[in-house]
Amino acid sequence: MSARHPVTIENVSRRNAIKALSGGLVLAVSLPRTALAAAAPEFGADAEPGGWRDNPKLFVQLAPDGHITFICPRQEMGQGIRTSLALTLADEMEADLARISAVQADGDQARWGNQNTDGSRSIRHFYMPMRRAGAAARTMLEQAAAARWGVPASEVGASDHMLIHEKSGRRLDFGAVAAAASALAVPAGDTLRLKHPSQFRYIGKDKVTGVD
């Protein structure tokens, strides 16, 4: 480490860190913000071998019965990526989480993008692509339902795995227009309507509790 970016070492309270290490000394090593900023590109998804993919047709498969198969590009090694990315997809797609299954992608970085599973990067790299995949899939489903009903797509909404036209009271399960939606062009990223965090149903709602 150069003199410009010295390492800071501080003694962290055992009580506030890892109580299981009774009597042990825990050292926290932190980098100044300038050093972190300089290192950021090295760890970005686009800087990894194979880059990253941002395509709902690659990661999301919707069957005629409405079941969604989500392709997980990184390995599940106990860190919960399959669950986390499924929650992210379900939220933006307005899908029923109980009707989503995760399938592990095979080792093919040319197809799936970078698959390096380390450094706690899986969620950081795929959180926004999976949100956009869900939003794009929802938009395509709304467009397909609108075409079937002969109404403007702006009048069709999605909620809990259903497509809804409020003015007429008509409703369709996602699966009913799966084939028609799959034939549509993927919406451009800058046209997608992403949820505001206050609208999340799944993201950030899981709770983890421990005993002090």
Side-chain angles (χ1 to χ4, degrees):
M1 182 64 66
S2 69
R4 294 181 57 191
H5 303 306
V7 174
T8 301
I9 300 179
E10 56 182 299
N11 193 347
V12 177
S13 166
R14 172 166 63 92
R15 176 176 177 79
N16 294 330
I18 305 174
K19 292 185 178 181
L21 300 178
S22 58
L25 178 66
V26 180
L27 295 178
V29 180
S30 62
L31 294 175
R33 291 185 181 275
T34 52
L36 290 172
E42 176 185 353
F43 302 106
D46 54 349
E48 295 288 313
W52 55 283
R53 303 291 180 267
D54 198 347
N55 185 345
K57 290 190 175 183
L58 186 62
F59 295 111
V60 184
Q61 301 171 359
L62 175 62
D65 66 358
H67 191 83
I68 297 169
T69 301
F70 148 65
I71 309 299
C72 185
R74 297 280 176 88
Q75 284 291 339
E76 170 61 69
M77 301 174 67
Q79 77 276 38
I81 181 176
R82 291 184 183 176
T83 300
S84 297
L85 291 183
L87 290 169
T88 303
L89 174 66
D91 227 331
E92 286 291 356
M93 195 172 173
E94 289 291 355
D96 179 356
L97 184 62
R99 298 174 72 181
I100 297 180
S101 297
V103 173
Q104 188 64 51
D106 56 350
D108 186 352
Q109 293 198 137
R111 181 179 186 187
W112 306 110
N114 182 264
Q115 294 180 288
N116 186 25
T117 307
D118 66 11
S120 300
R121 304 178 203 176
S122 296
I123 297 301
R124 283 187 285 165
H125 287 182
F126 282 94
Y127 173 68
M128 286 308 299
M130 204 52 58
R131 286 190 64 187
R132 286 190 288 269
R138 168 175 42 79
T139 299
M140 295 160 73
L141 289 166
E142 290 170 347
Q143 291 172 345
R148 173 177 291 197
W149 289 328
V151 300
S154 60
E155 293 184 0
V156 179
S159 178
D160 198 23
H161 230 84
M162 299 292 294
L163 297 154
I164 304 165
H165 185 239
E166 292 285 358
K167 289 185 176 180
S168 64
R170 285 176 288 188
R171 301 166 67 90
L172 281 175
D173 185 84
F174 280 1
V177 291
S182 68
L184 298 176
V186 176
D190 58 1
T191 67
L192 295 175
R193 294 176 287 110
L194 295 177
K195 281 186 172 182
H196 186 276
S198 63
Q199 299 173 302
F200 289 159
R201 296 171 55 204
Y202 300 117
I203 299 173
K205 303 302 182 182
D206 287 347
K207 295 182 179 179
V208 178
T209 60
V211 178
D212 194 330

